[in-house]
Amino acid sequence: GLLRATARETGVAFGAALTPRLRVGLRLGAAQLDLDGQATTVGADGATRASTSRADAWEPSVGASLLFALNQRWYASLNWDREIVWEAGRTGDTPPASHDLVAPGRYTAGLLFRPSSVVWLSGQLDWVRWSEVSSALVSPDDRPATGEFVLDDALDGRMGLEIRPDYGESPLWNRVMLRFGLHYRSRGLLEYTGSDPVEQARFGGGSHRWEWSYGLAFGPLEVTWVRRKPSTVWVIGVRQFF
């Protein structure tokens, strides 16, 4: 089969200080999924079936967060991102059908420690609701999804170190930051636990991964390198505070 998918998201965020130490944030937006998929399968009766899936719709994207400052050195945060569900239409079947595509919800807890104005240490733990994806499983050859397909909720962990010495006289360019990060990534892949050898080959699941990242910021310019399998990623950006 063939699958092409592009996700776009836009929105606004608001924040307010409830007390000198407690802040609350709200994010409202919309996410678009542009999908074009084609699949050819062989059913249990030996018949070949071809189907096409398409989606081009916007769905609401919502998130909320809390930030608590214990003092000038310790900060803690809680964040929630709601799941996003898009509906895709499928043709080629009799009659035409539809199915959902799900971006799972996420709960996040974070902790920041600033032993000095130069060194920042951070940690984050995400609970990803992969089971929300399992609830939308369908089969392209019309067989119902069974409990032999497994995609459990999982925890992702992250740690980060940031070193930010001042440099120069200009308020725009006197910021230098070095960043080092480590991400313990959950499997996040569907696994078939039954006895069908074809499904075992298709859905073998995945394994936990470690991902390293390194970053450098000089003034408003930022560059980040993320080492992961099967490829690495470079990110270049510009940031301006006002």
Side-chain angles (χ1 to χ4, degrees):
L2 175 66
L3 179 65
R4 295 189 180 97
T6 302
R8 303 177 181 89
E9 187 171 0
T10 183
V12 294
F14 308 90
L18 301 182
T19 70
R21 292 186 177 183
L22 181 63
R23 292 169 172 82
V24 62
L26 177 65
R27 179 179 56 81
L28 301 174
Q32 181 199 34
L33 178 67
D34 185 2
L35 179 142
D36 182 7
Q38 301 176 14
T40 301
T41 59
V42 179
D45 56 0
T48 300
R49 297 179 175 88
S51 62
T52 300
S53 295
R54 285 190 171 87
D56 185 8
W58 290 88
E59 294 294 337
S61 172
V62 180
S65 59
L66 290 173
L67 175 65
F68 179 73
L70 181 62
N71 50 43
Q72 293 298 317
R73 292 190 174 187
W74 289 95
Y75 299 82
S77 66
L78 293 174
N79 185 78
W80 164 75
D81 290 309
R82 179 181 175 272
E83 68 170 333
I84 305 174
V85 181
W86 297 276
E87 182 178 342
R90 189 174 70 189
T91 59
D93 301 323
T94 306
S98 64
H99 57 87
D100 292 337
L101 290 97
V102 180
R106 182 189 305 262
Y107 295 91
T108 301
L111 188 66
L112 172 66
F113 174 52
R114 301 195 303 180
S116 70
S117 61
V118 175
V119 178
W120 293 27
L121 297 170
S122 60
Q124 178 176 316
L125 190 64
D126 297 352
W127 178 28
V128 186
R129 300 292 310 278
W130 291 115
S131 58
E132 294 172 344
V133 178
S134 300
S135 64
L137 289 180
V138 295
S139 174
D141 52 8
D142 297 330
R143 287 179 294 127
T146 69
E148 296 173 331
F149 289 93
V150 179
L151 186 58
D152 295 329
D153 294 348
L155 292 174
D156 278 14
R158 293 176 173 86
M159 294 185 296
L161 168 65
E162 191 170 284
I163 303 173
R164 44 171 63 197
D166 291 337
Y167 176 86
E169 300 295 333
S170 169
L172 179 63
W173 291 96
N174 69 347
R175 186 175 62 97
V176 176
M177 288 192 291
L178 300 174
R179 297 191 183 102
F180 307 92
L182 176 63
H183 178 196
Y184 182 68
R185 183 177 176 182
S186 63
R187 299 190 305 164
L189 291 175
L190 191 65
E191 181 180 5
Y192 175 73
T193 59
S195 57
D196 188 331
V198 175
E199 299 291 12
Q200 289 176 354
R202 285 177 178 173
F203 305 102
S207 59
H208 296 278
R209 303 178 186 177
W210 292 97
E211 295 179 350
W212 295 88
S213 61
Y214 309 90
L216 170 66
F218 179 71
L221 305 178
E222 301 199 17
V223 178
T224 302
W225 178 76
V226 182
R227 177 187 179 273
R228 65 181 185 184
K229 297 179 181 180
S231 62
T232 59
V233 177
W234 284 92
V235 181
I236 301 175
V238 177
R239 175 184 296 183
Q240 178 59 37
F241 295 95
F242 59 90

